[in-house]
Amino acid sequence: MKIVILGVSGSGKSLIGSQLANRLTVPFFDGDDFHPPANVEKMRQGHPLNDEDRVDWLLRLNRLIKENQSLIVACSGLTPAYRASLKEGNETLQLVYLKGDFDLIWRRHQQRDGHYFNGQSMLHSQFETLIEPTAEEALIVSIEPEPYTIIDNIISMLNSSADSGIRDTDG
Ligand SMILES: Nc1ncnc2c1ncn2[C@@H]1O[C@H](COP(=O)(O)OP(=O)(O)OP(=O)(O)O)[C@@H](O)[C@H]1O
Ligand SMILES: O=C(O)[C@H](O)[C@@H](O)[C@H](O)[C@H](O)CO
């Protein structure tokens, strides 16, 4: 089982992705850890990434997905082209999109400490770049509930989608 958790910065990819990985007992990788240092520095200074900045990063994540038999990866995957880069050669990849509005996500950003993602204008840029996946492309999950409920919702959606091969270790 290979899953990418998609969504803008602050939508909960790291939190939900890591907890889902625990429930399903598969390795979790946070896409944030695969950025080249220049990207991290750019975001730290409050500048959004552009297409060029994201190319090598997406390639690294594509390779990571190829190299692992089972995994969950957190990656913003904001556009169809970015998602195609992740999927290239990874036909069985399941995408899960964490859907929420600007106000909710900005509130969560403000409650989060010590992250390099810097400022409201960067979050605006994420929403400007975002072209949401369709229901054919990804499982679409609301981020309004508490994390445990979101994870339950994802697991039941995965169970209903054909031959996902998932095994929940928590009941
Ligand atoms: N369902 C939720 N309910 C309440 N708080 C949440 C929920 N999901 C995430 N959070 C909190 O919102 C903040 C953002 O979540 P998280 O860091 O997982 O987002 P992210 O998409 O990984 O962000 P980034 O892409 O910037 O790394 C964190 O403080 C997290 O604990
Ligand atoms: O495509 C992007 O712009 C990036 O993925 C950002 O979203 C950051 O990596 C991260 O999520 C910030 O914390």
PDB file of all heavy atoms in Angstrom, residues 35-63:
ATOM      1  N   HIS A  35      13.128  18.371   1.141  1.00  0.00           N
ATOM      2  CA  HIS A  35      13.436  19.609   0.414  1.00  0.00           C
ATOM      3  C   HIS A  35      14.942  19.855   0.418  1.00  0.00           C
ATOM      4  O   HIS A  35      15.599  19.658   1.450  1.00  0.00           O
ATOM      5  CB  HIS A  35      12.781  20.818   1.099  1.00  0.00           C
ATOM      6  CG  HIS A  35      11.353  21.028   0.733  1.00  0.00           C
ATOM      7  ND1 HIS A  35      10.944  21.281  -0.555  1.00  0.00           N
ATOM      8  CD2 HIS A  35      10.225  21.041   1.488  1.00  0.00           C
ATOM      9  CE1 HIS A  35       9.634  21.444  -0.573  1.00  0.00           C
ATOM     10  NE2 HIS A  35       9.165  21.289   0.649  1.00  0.00           N
ATOM     11  N   PRO A  36      15.494  20.332  -0.697  1.00  0.00           N
ATOM     12  CA  PRO A  36      16.879  20.804  -0.639  1.00  0.00           C
ATOM     13  C   PRO A  36      16.959  22.000   0.315  1.00  0.00           C
ATOM     14  O   PRO A  36      15.972  22.734   0.476  1.00  0.00           O
ATOM     15  CB  PRO A  36      17.180  21.228  -2.086  1.00  0.00           C
ATOM     16  CG  PRO A  36      15.892  21.242  -2.810  1.00  0.00           C
ATOM     17  CD  PRO A  36      14.873  20.488  -2.010  1.00  0.00           C
ATOM     18  N   PRO A  37      18.129  22.211   0.942  1.00  0.00           N
ATOM     19  CA  PRO A  37      18.268  23.307   1.907  1.00  0.00           C
ATOM     20  C   PRO A  37      17.834  24.661   1.339  1.00  0.00           C
ATOM     21  O   PRO A  37      17.255  25.480   2.060  1.00  0.00           O
ATOM     22  CB  PRO A  37      19.760  23.306   2.255  1.00  0.00           C
ATOM     23  CG  PRO A  37      20.227  21.919   1.941  1.00  0.00           C
ATOM     24  CD  PRO A  37      19.362  21.407   0.826  1.00  0.00           C
ATOM     25  N   ALA A  38      18.079  24.882   0.052  1.00  0.00           N
ATOM     26  CA  ALA A  38      17.718  26.194  -0.532  1.00  0.00           C
ATOM     27  C   ALA A  38      16.203  26.423  -0.470  1.00  0.00           C
ATOM     28  O   ALA A  38      15.746  27.550  -0.256  1.00  0.00           O
ATOM     29  CB  ALA A  38      18.199  26.265  -1.974  1.00  0.00           C
ATOM     30  N   ASN A  39      15.432  25.364  -0.640  1.00  0.00           N
ATOM     31  CA  ASN A  39      13.974  25.521  -0.556  1.00  0.00           C
ATOM     32  C   ASN A  39      13.551  25.887   0.863  1.00  0.00           C
ATOM     33  O   ASN A  39      12.692  26.761   1.069  1.00  0.00           O
ATOM     34  CB  ASN A  39      13.271  24.206  -0.941  1.00  0.00           C
ATOM     35  CG  ASN A  39      13.222  23.995  -2.437  1.00  0.00           C
ATOM     36  OD1 ASN A  39      13.777  24.776  -3.201  1.00  0.00           O
ATOM     37  ND2 ASN A  39      12.560  22.922  -2.867  1.00  0.00           N
ATOM     38  N   VAL A  40      14.143  25.200   1.830  1.00  0.00           N
ATOM     39  CA  VAL A  40      13.783  25.467   3.231  1.00  0.00           C
ATOM     40  C   VAL A  40      14.126  26.912   3.574  1.00  0.00           C
ATOM     41  O   VAL A  40      13.320  27.641   4.177  1.00  0.00           O
ATOM     42  CB  VAL A  40      14.515  24.486   4.176  1.00  0.00           C
ATOM     43  CG1 VAL A  40      14.261  24.843   5.634  1.00  0.00           C
ATOM     44  CG2 VAL A  40      14.086  23.055   3.890  1.00  0.00           C
ATOM     45  N   GLU A  41      15.302  27.360   3.140  1.00  0.00           N
ATOM     46  CA  GLU A  41      15.725  28.728   3.438  1.00  0.00           C
ATOM     47  C   GLU A  41      14.785  29.735   2.776  1.00  0.00           C
ATOM     48  O   GLU A  41      14.406  30.743   3.371  1.00  0.00           O
ATOM     49  CB  GLU A  41      17.182  28.918   2.958  1.00  0.00           C
ATOM     50  CG  GLU A  41      17.834  30.199   3.418  1.00  0.00           C
ATOM     51  CD  GLU A  41      17.650  30.485   4.918  1.00  0.00           C
ATOM     52  OE1 GLU A  41      17.641  29.531   5.726  1.00  0.00           O
ATOM     53  OE2 GLU A  41      17.488  31.674   5.280  1.00  0.00           O
ATOM     54  N   LYS A  42      14.387  29.437   1.558  1.00  0.00           N
ATOM     55  CA  LYS A  42      13.472  30.339   0.838  1.00  0.00           C
ATOM     56  C   LYS A  42      12.147  30.479   1.609  1.00  0.00           C
ATOM     57  O   LYS A  42      11.660  31.584   1.835  1.00  0.00           O
ATOM     58  CB  LYS A  42      13.225  29.763  -0.568  1.00  0.00           C
ATOM     59  CG  LYS A  42      12.526  30.716  -1.503  1.00  0.00           C
ATOM     60  CD  LYS A  42      12.504  30.180  -2.930  1.00  0.00           C
ATOM     61  CE  LYS A  42      11.740  31.156  -3.826  1.00  0.00           C
ATOM     62  NZ  LYS A  42      11.671  30.725  -5.219  1.00  0.00           N
ATOM     63  N   MET A  43      11.616  29.341   2.043  1.00  0.00           N
ATOM     64  CA  MET A  43      10.336  29.389   2.775  1.00  0.00           C
ATOM     65  C   MET A  43      10.509  30.070   4.127  1.00  0.00           C
ATOM     66  O   MET A  43       9.643  30.820   4.565  1.00  0.00           O
ATOM     67  CB  MET A  43       9.773  27.981   2.944  1.00  0.00           C
ATOM     68  CG  MET A  43       9.277  27.382   1.638  1.00  0.00           C
ATOM     69  SD  MET A  43       8.402  25.829   1.867  1.00  0.00           S
ATOM     70  CE  MET A  43       9.726  24.644   1.884  1.00  0.00           C
ATOM     71  N   ARG A  44      11.668  29.805   4.767  1.00  0.00           N
ATOM     72  CA  ARG A  44      11.922  30.431   6.066  1.00  0.00           C
ATOM     73  C   ARG A  44      11.900  31.958   5.940  1.00  0.00           C
ATOM     74  O   ARG A  44      11.461  32.671   6.821  1.00  0.00           O
ATOM     75  CB  ARG A  44      13.292  29.972   6.581  1.00  0.00           C
ATOM     76  CG  ARG A  44      13.486  30.159   8.084  1.00  0.00           C
ATOM     77  CD  ARG A  44      14.926  29.867   8.489  1.00  0.00           C
ATOM     78  NE  ARG A  44      15.328  28.485   8.265  1.00  0.00           N
ATOM     79  CZ  ARG A  44      14.955  27.463   9.028  1.00  0.00           C
ATOM     80  NH1 ARG A  44      14.177  27.662  10.058  1.00  0.00           N
ATOM     81  NH2 ARG A  44      15.365  26.242   8.756  1.00  0.00           N
ATOM     82  N   GLN A  45      12.355  32.448   4.781  1.00  0.00           N
ATOM     83  CA  GLN A  45      12.374  33.895   4.570  1.00  0.00           C
ATOM     84  C   GLN A  45      11.026  34.436   4.086  1.00  0.00           C
ATOM     85  O   GLN A  45      10.897  35.611   3.773  1.00  0.00           O
ATOM     86  CB  GLN A  45      13.470  34.248   3.571  1.00  0.00           C
ATOM     87  CG  GLN A  45      14.843  34.042   4.192  1.00  0.00           C
ATOM     88  CD  GLN A  45      15.975  34.402   3.237  1.00  0.00           C
ATOM     89  OE1 GLN A  45      15.733  34.979   2.183  1.00  0.00           O
ATOM     90  NE2 GLN A  45      17.185  34.049   3.606  1.00  0.00           N
ATOM     91  N   GLY A  46      10.044  33.551   3.986  1.00  0.00           N
ATOM     92  CA  GLY A  46       8.694  33.998   3.653  1.00  0.00           C
ATOM     93  C   GLY A  46       8.404  34.023   2.164  1.00  0.00           C
ATOM     94  O   GLY A  46       7.426  34.636   1.730  1.00  0.00           O
ATOM     95  N   HIS A  47       9.254  33.340   1.355  1.00  0.00           N
ATOM     96  CA  HIS A  47       9.018  33.322  -0.096  1.00  0.00           C
ATOM     97  C   HIS A  47       8.470  31.972  -0.517  1.00  0.00           C
ATOM     98  O   HIS A  47       9.087  30.938  -0.241  1.00  0.00           O
ATOM     99  CB  HIS A  47      10.325  33.590  -0.857  1.00  0.00           C
ATOM    100  CG  HIS A  47      10.974  34.872  -0.472  1.00  0.00           C
ATOM    101  ND1 HIS A  47      10.366  36.091  -0.660  1.00  0.00           N
ATOM    102  CD2 HIS A  47      12.164  35.135   0.121  1.00  0.00           C
ATOM    103  CE1 HIS A  47      11.157  37.050  -0.209  1.00  0.00           C
ATOM    104  NE2 HIS A  47      12.248  36.492   0.279  1.00  0.00           N
ATOM    105  N   PRO A  48       7.334  31.971  -1.208  1.00  0.00           N
ATOM    106  CA  PRO A  48       6.784  30.696  -1.672  1.00  0.00           C
ATOM    107  C   PRO A  48       7.678  30.037  -2.723  1.00  0.00           C
ATOM    108  O   PRO A  48       8.398  30.717  -3.453  1.00  0.00           O
ATOM    109  CB  PRO A  48       5.455  31.079  -2.328  1.00  0.00           C
ATOM    110  CG  PRO A  48       5.210  32.499  -2.014  1.00  0.00           C
ATOM    111  CD  PRO A  48       6.496  33.122  -1.582  1.00  0.00           C
ATOM    112  N   LEU A  49       7.618  28.727  -2.785  1.00  0.00           N
ATOM    113  CA  LEU A  49       8.349  27.987  -3.817  1.00  0.00           C
ATOM    114  C   LEU A  49       7.652  28.157  -5.159  1.00  0.00           C
ATOM    115  O   LEU A  49       6.443  28.369  -5.220  1.00  0.00           O
ATOM    116  CB  LEU A  49       8.387  26.502  -3.466  1.00  0.00           C
ATOM    117  CG  LEU A  49       8.998  26.122  -2.114  1.00  0.00           C
ATOM    118  CD1 LEU A  49       8.982  24.601  -1.944  1.00  0.00           C
ATOM    119  CD2 LEU A  49      10.415  26.663  -1.988  1.00  0.00           C
ATOM    120  N   ASN A  50       8.439  28.049  -6.243  1.00  0.00           N
ATOM    121  CA  ASN A  50       7.837  28.035  -7.576  1.00  0.00           C
ATOM    122  C   ASN A  50       8.017  26.646  -8.206  1.00  0.00           C
ATOM    123  O   ASN A  50       8.605  25.742  -7.597  1.00  0.00           O
ATOM    124  CB  ASN A  50       8.439  29.141  -8.455  1.00  0.00           C
ATOM    125  CG  ASN A  50       9.949  29.007  -8.561  1.00  0.00           C
ATOM    126  OD1 ASN A  50      10.466  27.883  -8.544  1.00  0.00           O
ATOM    127  ND2 ASN A  50      10.650  30.122  -8.662  1.00  0.00           N
ATOM    128  N   ASP A  51       7.534  26.503  -9.446  1.00  0.00           N
ATOM    129  CA  ASP A  51       7.590  25.198 -10.131  1.00  0.00           C
ATOM    130  C   ASP A  51       9.012  24.654 -10.168  1.00  0.00           C
ATOM    131  O   ASP A  51       9.248  23.476  -9.905  1.00  0.00           O
ATOM    132  CB  ASP A  51       7.118  25.334 -11.582  1.00  0.00           C
ATOM    133  CG  ASP A  51       5.606  25.369 -11.697  1.00  0.00           C
ATOM    134  OD1 ASP A  51       4.930  25.276 -10.653  1.00  0.00           O
ATOM    135  OD2 ASP A  51       5.106  25.509 -12.828  1.00  0.00           O
ATOM    136  N   GLU A  52       9.952  25.540 -10.497  1.00  0.00           N
ATOM    137  CA  GLU A  52      11.341  25.107 -10.638  1.00  0.00           C
ATOM    138  C   GLU A  52      11.894  24.585  -9.313  1.00  0.00           C
ATOM    139  O   GLU A  52      12.593  23.572  -9.274  1.00  0.00           O
ATOM    140  CB  GLU A  52      12.154  26.314 -11.115  1.00  0.00           C
ATOM    141  CG  GLU A  52      13.387  25.952 -11.864  1.00  0.00           C
ATOM    142  CD  GLU A  52      14.173  27.216 -12.204  1.00  0.00           C
ATOM    143  OE1 GLU A  52      13.555  28.268 -12.491  1.00  0.00           O
ATOM    144  OE2 GLU A  52      15.406  27.141 -12.160  1.00  0.00           O
ATOM    145  N   ASP A  53      11.561  25.304  -8.239  1.00  0.00           N
ATOM    146  CA  ASP A  53      12.035  24.861  -6.912  1.00  0.00           C
ATOM    147  C   ASP A  53      11.510  23.473  -6.570  1.00  0.00           C
ATOM    148  O   ASP A  53      12.120  22.739  -5.796  1.00  0.00           O
ATOM    149  CB  ASP A  53      11.523  25.799  -5.803  1.00  0.00           C
ATOM    150  CG  ASP A  53      12.010  27.230  -5.956  1.00  0.00           C
ATOM    151  OD1 ASP A  53      13.159  27.418  -6.366  1.00  0.00           O
ATOM    152  OD2 ASP A  53      11.215  28.151  -5.650  1.00  0.00           O
ATOM    153  N   ARG A  54      10.334  23.144  -7.102  1.00  0.00           N
ATOM    154  CA  ARG A  54       9.687  21.903  -6.670  1.00  0.00           C
ATOM    155  C   ARG A  54      10.099  20.684  -7.497  1.00  0.00           C
ATOM    156  O   ARG A  54       9.810  19.560  -7.096  1.00  0.00           O
ATOM    157  CB  ARG A  54       8.162  22.062  -6.723  1.00  0.00           C
ATOM    158  CG  ARG A  54       7.615  23.010  -5.643  1.00  0.00           C
ATOM    159  CD  ARG A  54       6.112  23.172  -5.746  1.00  0.00           C
ATOM    160  NE  ARG A  54       5.547  24.003  -4.687  1.00  0.00           N
ATOM    161  CZ  ARG A  54       4.886  25.143  -4.886  1.00  0.00           C
ATOM    162  NH1 ARG A  54       4.692  25.604  -6.109  1.00  0.00           N
ATOM    163  NH2 ARG A  54       4.394  25.821  -3.867  1.00  0.00           N
ATOM    164  N   VAL A  55      10.776  20.909  -8.649  1.00  0.00           N
ATOM    165  CA  VAL A  55      11.042  19.788  -9.566  1.00  0.00           C
ATOM    166  C   VAL A  55      11.864  18.683  -8.907  1.00  0.00           C
ATOM    167  O   VAL A  55      11.444  17.518  -8.860  1.00  0.00           O
ATOM    168  CB  VAL A  55      11.758  20.278 -10.850  1.00  0.00           C
ATOM    169  CG1 VAL A  55      12.250  19.100 -11.672  1.00  0.00           C
ATOM    170  CG2 VAL A  55      10.826  21.126 -11.682  1.00  0.00           C
ATOM    171  N   ASP A  56      13.046  19.036  -8.371  1.00  0.00           N
ATOM    172  CA  ASP A  56      13.937  18.006  -7.810  1.00  0.00           C
ATOM    173  C   ASP A  56      13.318  17.354  -6.581  1.00  0.00           C
ATOM    174  O   ASP A  56      13.472  16.155  -6.343  1.00  0.00           O
ATOM    175  CB  ASP A  56      15.292  18.614  -7.423  1.00  0.00           C
ATOM    176  CG  ASP A  56      16.115  18.902  -8.659  1.00  0.00           C
ATOM    177  OD1 ASP A  56      15.769  18.384  -9.736  1.00  0.00           O
ATOM    178  OD2 ASP A  56      17.094  19.663  -8.543  1.00  0.00           O
ATOM    179  N   TRP A  57      12.628  18.176  -5.825  1.00  0.00           N
ATOM    180  CA  TRP A  57      11.964  17.680  -4.611  1.00  0.00           C
ATOM    181  C   TRP A  57      10.932  16.603  -4.972  1.00  0.00           C
ATOM    182  O   TRP A  57      10.906  15.518  -4.378  1.00  0.00           O
ATOM    183  CB  TRP A  57      11.317  18.884  -3.912  1.00  0.00           C
ATOM    184  CG  TRP A  57      10.466  18.587  -2.738  1.00  0.00           C
ATOM    185  CD1 TRP A  57      10.853  17.984  -1.573  1.00  0.00           C
ATOM    186  CD2 TRP A  57       9.082  18.913  -2.584  1.00  0.00           C
ATOM    187  NE1 TRP A  57       9.792  17.919  -0.707  1.00  0.00           N
ATOM    188  CE2 TRP A  57       8.705  18.484  -1.304  1.00  0.00           C
ATOM    189  CE3 TRP A  57       8.139  19.545  -3.394  1.00  0.00           C
ATOM    190  CZ2 TRP A  57       7.397  18.646  -0.818  1.00  0.00           C
ATOM    191  CZ3 TRP A  57       6.855  19.713  -2.910  1.00  0.00           C
ATOM    192  CH2 TRP A  57       6.490  19.261  -1.641  1.00  0.00           C
ATOM    193  N   LEU A  58      10.127  16.882  -6.000  1.00  0.00           N
ATOM    194  CA  LEU A  58       9.107  15.903  -6.408  1.00  0.00           C
ATOM    195  C   LEU A  58       9.755  14.637  -6.965  1.00  0.00           C
ATOM    196  O   LEU A  58       9.275  13.525  -6.741  1.00  0.00           O
ATOM    197  CB  LEU A  58       8.150  16.528  -7.435  1.00  0.00           C
ATOM    198  CG  LEU A  58       7.221  17.605  -6.851  1.00  0.00           C
ATOM    199  CD1 LEU A  58       6.551  18.396  -7.967  1.00  0.00           C
ATOM    200  CD2 LEU A  58       6.177  16.996  -5.928  1.00  0.00           C
ATOM    201  N   LEU A  59      10.888  14.814  -7.671  1.00  0.00           N
ATOM    202  CA  LEU A  59      11.613  13.642  -8.190  1.00  0.00           C
ATOM    203  C   LEU A  59      12.123  12.759  -7.051  1.00  0.00           C
ATOM    204  O   LEU A  59      12.051  11.536  -7.116  1.00  0.00           O
ATOM    205  CB  LEU A  59      12.807  14.093  -9.030  1.00  0.00           C
ATOM    206  CG  LEU A  59      12.524  14.361 -10.493  1.00  0.00           C
ATOM    207  CD1 LEU A  59      13.771  14.943 -11.155  1.00  0.00           C
ATOM    208  CD2 LEU A  59      12.094  13.070 -11.191  1.00  0.00           C
ATOM    209  N   ARG A  60      12.623  13.413  -6.009  1.00  0.00           N
ATOM    210  CA  ARG A  60      13.113  12.641  -4.852  1.00  0.00           C
ATOM    211  C   ARG A  60      11.971  11.868  -4.220  1.00  0.00           C
ATOM    212  O   ARG A  60      12.120  10.697  -3.842  1.00  0.00           O
ATOM    213  CB  ARG A  60      13.722  13.584  -3.797  1.00  0.00           C
ATOM    214  CG  ARG A  60      15.042  14.162  -4.219  1.00  0.00           C
ATOM    215  CD  ARG A  60      15.559  15.148  -3.202  1.00  0.00           C
ATOM    216  NE  ARG A  60      16.175  14.489  -2.058  1.00  0.00           N
ATOM    217  CZ  ARG A  60      16.723  15.146  -1.037  1.00  0.00           C
ATOM    218  NH1 ARG A  60      16.714  16.460  -1.018  1.00  0.00           N
ATOM    219  NH2 ARG A  60      17.265  14.489  -0.043  1.00  0.00           N
ATOM    220  N   LEU A  61      10.828  12.509  -4.115  1.00  0.00           N
ATOM    221  CA  LEU A  61       9.681  11.810  -3.507  1.00  0.00           C
ATOM    222  C   LEU A  61       9.188  10.686  -4.418  1.00  0.00           C
ATOM    223  O   LEU A  61       8.803   9.612  -3.944  1.00  0.00           O
ATOM    224  CB  LEU A  61       8.561  12.809  -3.199  1.00  0.00           C
ATOM    225  CG  LEU A  61       8.898  13.834  -2.115  1.00  0.00           C
ATOM    226  CD1 LEU A  61       7.738  14.796  -1.895  1.00  0.00           C
ATOM    227  CD2 LEU A  61       9.271  13.164  -0.793  1.00  0.00           C
ATOM    228  N   ASN A  62       9.233  10.919  -5.725  1.00  0.00           N
ATOM    229  CA  ASN A  62       8.835   9.868  -6.665  1.00  0.00           C
ATOM    230  C   ASN A  62       9.727   8.635  -6.481  1.00  0.00           C
ATOM    231  O   ASN A  62       9.247   7.499  -6.453  1.00  0.00           O
ATOM    232  CB  ASN A  62       8.920  10.392  -8.102  1.00  0.00           C
ATOM    233  CG  ASN A  62       8.670   9.289  -9.111  1.00  0.00           C
ATOM    234  OD1 ASN A  62       9.568   8.532  -9.444  1.00  0.00           O
ATOM    235  ND2 ASN A  62       7.440   9.169  -9.575  1.00  0.00           N
ATOM    236  N   ARG A  63      11.044   8.883  -6.334  1.00  0.00           N
ATOM    237  CA  ARG A  63      11.982   7.763  -6.142  1.00  0.00           C
ATOM    238  C   ARG A  63      11.723   7.059  -4.814  1.00  0.00           C
ATOM    239  O   ARG A  63      11.735   5.833  -4.736  1.00  0.00           O
ATOM    240  CB  ARG A  63      13.426   8.277  -6.170  1.00  0.00           C
ATOM    241  CG  ARG A  63      13.983   8.389  -7.586  1.00  0.00           C
ATOM    242  CD  ARG A  63      15.499   8.433  -7.583  1.00  0.00           C
ATOM    243  NE  ARG A  63      15.997   9.613  -6.865  1.00  0.00           N
ATOM    244  CZ  ARG A  63      16.165  10.801  -7.428  1.00  0.00           C
ATOM    245  NH1 ARG A  63      15.915  10.982  -8.705  1.00  0.00           N
ATOM    246  NH2 ARG A  63      16.620  11.821  -6.729  1.00  0.00           N
TER     247      ARG A  63
END
